[in-house]
Amino acid sequence: MNTPEDYISSLYSTDPMLEKVLAGIREQGMPEISIAPQYGKLLTLLVLAGRTSSALEIGALGGYSGICIARGLTPGGRLVSLELEERYAQVAKGHLTEAGFGEQVEFRLGEALPSLEKLGEEGARFDFFFIDADKTNYPNYLEWAIRLANSGALIVGDNTLMRGRVADPNVSAGSVQAMRRFNEQIASDPRLDSTLLPAYDGLSIARVR
Ligand code: MG
């Protein structure tokens, strides 16, 4: 029997541009951990619904999520993409350019925390955040997202169930503990309204009050 996720995938035709991105990631020997296709669609929908003109993503990888976000931006909207690895940012930039968004995306290289601090100093503010990077820093990324958010901004975090490990009391790895703190804060922070979608690897969505 097919899984519900397989069934949903069967309803939608494949996306040639995003298929190209996945092939590019494979060819480059990069990790094949792009966001699930249906969550990619959800990113586009959320960005569209918020009439978003400024988005920030933490973790570019090959540009899959970047394209999904850019597709929803208002005309002339901007995406800032933070990426640790220069090589990954090059690949992502190539894919974003091929998808027609090369002029709208700005990549910032290196560790995300100093980049976030710099954006704060510059007075940058965003309407949409996508967190999809090293799990240990998720709580820090959440705090920065709230700090850099316009009122009403959305914050989306990927992989927040960590293949179920967050729910397993026997797992005490640092990254899992950090994700539990992230999830607890998303759920209880008085500055946020939120939910956590359980399909795939978990997707957290919060709105900054
Ligand atoms: Mg991810």
Side-chain angles (χ1 to χ4, degrees):
M1 204 179 94
N2 288 333
T3 65
E5 283 135 344
D6 292 334
Y7 168 71
I8 296 164
S9 296
S10 75
L11 298 175
Y12 291 87
S13 53
T14 53
D15 185 308
M17 184 62 229
L18 294 177
E19 289 298 312
K20 212 179 258 192
V21 173
L22 294 179
I25 286 172
R26 209 171 305 128
E27 276 161 30
Q28 295 290 326
M30 292 163 61
E32 295 184 47
I33 52 169
S34 297
I35 189 168
Q38 295 312 319
Y39 280 163
K41 282 184 189 294
L42 180 58
L43 291 183
T44 305
L45 284 172
L46 291 172
V47 172
L48 270 173
R51 295 184 173 82
T52 305
S53 61
S54 60
L56 174 70
E57 108 178 311
I58 305 174
L61 191 61
Y64 189 105
S65 55
I67 290 171
C68 294
I69 294 167
R71 281 175 172 173
L73 290 171
T74 54
R78 307 276 306 160
L79 168 65
V80 175
S81 183
L82 310 184
E83 174 54 50
L84 177 65
E85 303 278 349
E86 185 172 359
R87 189 169 73 89
Y88 294 178
Q90 297 283 0
V91 173
K93 192 177 167 67
H95 287 144
L96 265 295
T97 302
E98 206 176 334
F101 302 114
E103 300 295 304
Q104 284 169 266
V105 61
E106 176 196 344
F107 289 92
R108 297 199 178 194
L109 297 176
E111 299 277 351
L113 288 176
S115 291
L116 291 163
E117 212 169 306
K118 182 94 194 309
L119 286 164
E121 284 163 15
E122 293 168 14
R125 292 292 179 272
F126 300 90
D127 299 317
F128 188 87
F129 299 83
F130 181 50
I131 302 171
D132 192 15
D134 57 303
K135 307 310 171 216
T136 310
N137 270 312
Y138 264 45
N140 296 326
Y141 297 152
L142 176 59
E143 202 50 59
W144 269 109
I146 295 170
R147 214 176 293 175
L148 298 178
N150 290 320
S151 175
L154 292 182
I155 301 172
V156 179
D158 191 28
N159 309 110
T160 52
L161 292 181
M162 295 185 78
R163 283 176 271 120
R165 286 188 292 161
V166 287
D168 180 349
N170 297 315
V171 178
S172 60
S175 57
V176 174
Q177 291 190 37
M179 191 61 83
R180 288 185 188 125
R181 286 204 306 280
F182 175 90
N183 288 336
E184 285 156 18
Q185 189 181 344
I186 283 266
S188 63
D189 193 306
R191 297 168 292 179
L192 304 173
D193 294 300
S194 73
T195 191
L196 200 172
L197 303 183
Y200 304 102
D201 198 23
L203 193 80
S204 295
I205 305 174
R207 180 184 182 276
V208 182
R209 287 179 177 161

